[in-house]
Amino acid sequence: MNIKVNTPKLILADEPTGNLDSHNGKEVMHMLTELNKAGTTIIMVTHSEHDASFAQQIVRMLDGQTVLEDRKTVRP
């Protein structure tokens, strides 16, 4: 995943760590976090609670319906 060629305004990430080992998964999440801090909006779909914990807002869905929405402060 090479996304540092430029700084996009929006990244759509569908299971960005799904097929990666834990080391490379951490690298991808770190890269997405840094891009977000630089102003890029990240929309991520994941089944991973760990990856979801990086988000500032989590929207949980079931059968196409929003069942829980959670906003939190920015991670340190």
Side-chain angles (χ1 to χ4, degrees), residues 27-56:
E27 290 292 317
V28 167
M29 293 310 297
H30 175 72
M31 198 177 340
L32 291 174
T33 299
E34 292 303 311
L35 285 166
N36 183 247
K37 287 179 183 176
T40 299
T41 298
I42 312 290
I43 298 175
M44 177 174 61
V45 177
T46 185
H47 291 92
S48 166
E49 290 293 328
H50 176 264
D51 290 354
S53 73
F54 285 82
Q56 296 174 30

Side-chain angles (χ1 to χ4, degrees), residues 2 6 15 18-19 24 29-30 33 38-40 47 51 59 63-64 76:
N2 187 357
N6 59 20
E15 296 285 355
N19 291 321
N24 286 307
M29 293 310 297
H30 175 72
T33 299
T40 299
H47 291 92
D51 290 354
V59 177
D63 297 331

